[in-house]
Amino acid sequence: MPFPPSVARNLASLMLPPEELERLQELHFYDAGHGFDPFGMHPAFVALGEGISSFLYNKYFRVKSYGAEVIPASGSAILAANHSGNIPIDGMMIWNDVVRHTNPPRVVRAVADNFVPTLPFVGTLFTRSGAVGGSRGNVRALLERGELLLIFPEGTPGILKPFAKRYQLQTFRVGHAELAIRYGCPVIPIGVVGAEEQLPQLTTSRRLGKWTGVGEVPIPAVPVPLPVRYHIHYGEPIPLHEQYSPDQADDPQVVKAAASQVRDAVGALLERGLALRKGVFT
Amino acid sequence: MARASRTSARTRGRASSRRRAESVLVTGADTPIGERLIRELLDDSRVSHILAVTAGDPADFPLQEGDRLEVLKVDISRNRRLHDLLFGKARDLGTTSVIHTAMHHSAHARGSRVHALNVEATRALLGFAERHPTIRRIVVRSASEVYQVNNELPDLISEEHPLNMGGRAPQWVRDRVEADVTACTRMGLSSLDIVVLRMTEALAPGTGSQLFDWLESPVCLRPAGFDPMVNVLTIDDSVTALQKALHSDAQGVFNIPGADSLPLSAAIRAWGRVGVPLPGFLLAPAYRWRRRLTGTDFRYGMNRFRFHYSGVLDGTRAREVLGFVPSHPVEWPARSG
């Protein structure tokens, strides 16, 4: 970042109440020597990230959270959520929700697409707030250190799906299930209701995506995200590591079945969330 | 079969000889790391004798020769001289281990003479040592620059991380990769115990550290919008790692990280410099001009990827197998805020 952690800390203090800043002092964090963890996360930037995203969380999307107490206070876990909305605000809202609903506070490490580190400023801000590039080595290292990982198993097809396909889960990749079995951690399914309507899509452009280096770019029907209300539903942890032994992580059938189990759980949370909500904006 | 039994017999012999005092040959003894290593080995009761090989005049070597230290000037890039050193003086002294640290440091040095020291000397050293009557162990100092760094690869670099085999890589990098791989290809097949230490750069003068050279400038130019994590080592920790590798029975490849992992911008602040972010495309010409005007060694093209993307060595294997934990942080002239 162009400014040091002390500036981030001061900026955060303007955005967050003192009690929240004090709570963040207890942040679960692995200091590699200069206040940063080996991936570049820094508590002052986590506070700044919470301060910035809290405006969206509290005022714009008025997030309602259900069942966050299932997130373990310590140890590794994979949070697997549906992905939607054309821009990854859903990731930001889950990130904020986890920070504020865990005590002592924990940061969920969002696994970002490989193009994210290539984005000037954005990539660095993501890194300082705990996001990591989506390489296998990174996620392995984080799980071995007992961190929380946020994975969107639908990947890009999920976030870029057209408005007509909202709340239709796309094919789940199996990496999250394999990791959970191999490294012995539970998967916590998450259903995000609201994000699917935030930015209706007209079309996508591969040409623009190639030009910007991000693969495919959505062309939205509205210039800014709509102020929909977010509902984040956490499901009971799925103990894949208890159902399967680590050596079964190499069995394609086992991993596929495990991923399917997670997909069903996320689908059930979405159904419940849709049934509970009274309207897109309320 | 005969070869296998000979090897296993030699392995058994090694196990017992490990407990005897070591007689060590050190190449690159007149580098800052080599010199400090020899000081430590002189204080090490497990080392009976040190044969220090320098590129310069032994009279300029800062340590006094004595019963336990002998200093020789040998151009190890010449096979015959290396051969005669090993099968002459080293055999007479019963040298049991070699610590090979000699490498050209300048990022701009190139050509066959440079390659001869960086790669061919390593190759010849391994070949001669295999048929040497007393040498049992070789520790090769490699560098973290052998690894690729880019946005698709892990930020935390394990020993299985892809190597930088790109044809566009400068000779400085290609030579280090080739020397490293040359040592690795003999592991398990050789009668020697081979240890390759892939060390992150030591932030000190005379070590070939590009980051040190970069930080020596009052104004440090860096790519705008990028602030990757870097890891740096001290000479003290480098020497500790070499000593641990010397006295261990293990062989293999080990990452040797330093105690300091921090973003580039924090390194600039901690070094008391001014960081100026610039668009990436301006940096290569800016540093080319800086080199022409000031004669510094920093080469932006060689560092372009790591100035954009994080690459921090994972030292888990060295910790678990060699017992190496970096414990000497860099003494930063200033602290970051």
Side-chain angles (χ1 to χ4, degrees), chain A:
Chain A
M1 291 303 287
F3 49 83
S6 53
V7 175
R9 208 171 288 122
N10 290 338
L11 287 172
S13 68
L14 299 174
M15 300 176 192
L16 291 174
E19 56 273 20
E20 180 61 9
L21 287 168
E22 197 178 320
R23 203 179 70 86
L24 284 174
Q25 301 283 325
E26 305 295 316
L27 186 77
H28 175 87
F29 173 67
Y30 176 83
D31 187 346
H34 285 255
F36 295 82
D37 87 345
F39 296 91
M41 186 176 91
H42 191 288
F45 288 93
V46 171
L48 179 62
E50 191 189 349
I52 293 169
S53 60
S54 282
F55 168 74
L56 295 174
Y57 185 98
N58 291 324
K59 306 288 184 192
Y60 199 81
F61 295 114
R62 295 148 289 128
V63 178
K64 283 190 172 179
S65 178
Y66 310 83
E69 62 278 1
V70 299
I71 301 168
S74 63
S76 58
I78 294 174
L79 280 61
N82 59 311
H83 204 15
S84 63
N86 292 295
I87 50 176
I89 297 173
D90 49 358
M92 191 195 292
M93 294 301 105
I94 294 171
W95 180 90
N96 187 306
D97 199 58
V98 171
V99 171
R100 63 174 62 203
H101 284 105
T102 43
N103 201 11
R106 301 189 71 183
V107 173
V108 62
R109 314 299 295 259
V111 178
D113 273 325
N114 286 334
F115 71 81
V116 172
T118 68
L119 303 173
F121 302 103
V122 176
T124 307
L125 184 62
F126 274 40
T127 301
R128 293 287 173 274
S129 317
V132 295
S135 69
R136 181 164 284 271
N138 281 347
V139 295
R140 175 186 57 80
L142 288 168
L143 289 176
E144 284 176 351
R145 284 164 195 259
E147 302 259 12
L148 296 174
L149 273 190
L150 173 60
I151 295 180
F152 295 105
E154 294 171 278
T156 312
I159 193 169
L160 289 184
K161 64 180 176 281
F163 189 68
K165 288 191 176 178
R166 61 194 181 281
Y167 300 110
Q168 295 175 28
L169 287 176
Q170 304 301 295
T171 306
F172 264 36
R173 296 170 186 172
V174 298
H176 66 289
E178 185 199 327
L179 288 166
I181 296 169
R182 192 180 302 284
Y183 296 106
C185 64
V187 176
I188 298 173
I190 299 177
V192 181
V193 174
E196 309 257 356
E197 291 99 348
Q198 72 187 10
L199 202 62
Q201 182 197 100
L202 285 177
T203 184
T204 60
S205 168
R206 282 188 189 279
R207 182 173 293 182
L208 205 55
K210 197 175 172 184
W211 183 68
T212 53
V214 301
E216 200 171 353
V217 171
I219 311 293
V222 289
V224 290
L226 301 171
V228 296
R229 185 188 282 277
Y230 265 61
H231 303 263
I232 300 176
H233 295 264
Y234 298 86
E236 282 301 316
I238 304 171
L240 293 178
H241 60 302
E242 291 172 9
Q243 296 170 17
Y244 304 103
S245 63
D247 53 336
Q248 287 181 288
D250 288 320
D251 185 333
Q253 295 305 320
V254 165
V255 170
K256 200 173 170 187
S260 179
Q261 198 179 337
V262 176
R263 188 176 187 271
D264 291 346
V266 173
L269 288 168
L270 286 179
E271 272 182 36
R272 196 177 82 195
L274 286 169
L276 280 174
R277 84 168 172 179
K278 295 183 174 65
V280 173
F281 299 99
T282 55

Side-chain angles (χ1 to χ4, degrees), chain B residues 211 214 222-223 227-230 262-268 306-307:
Chain B
L211 205 58
W214 181 68
R222 65 182 184 86
D227 196 9
M229 295 293 286
V230 292
L262 69 173
L264 217 46
S265 64
I268 296 170
R306 72 173 185 150
F307 272 30

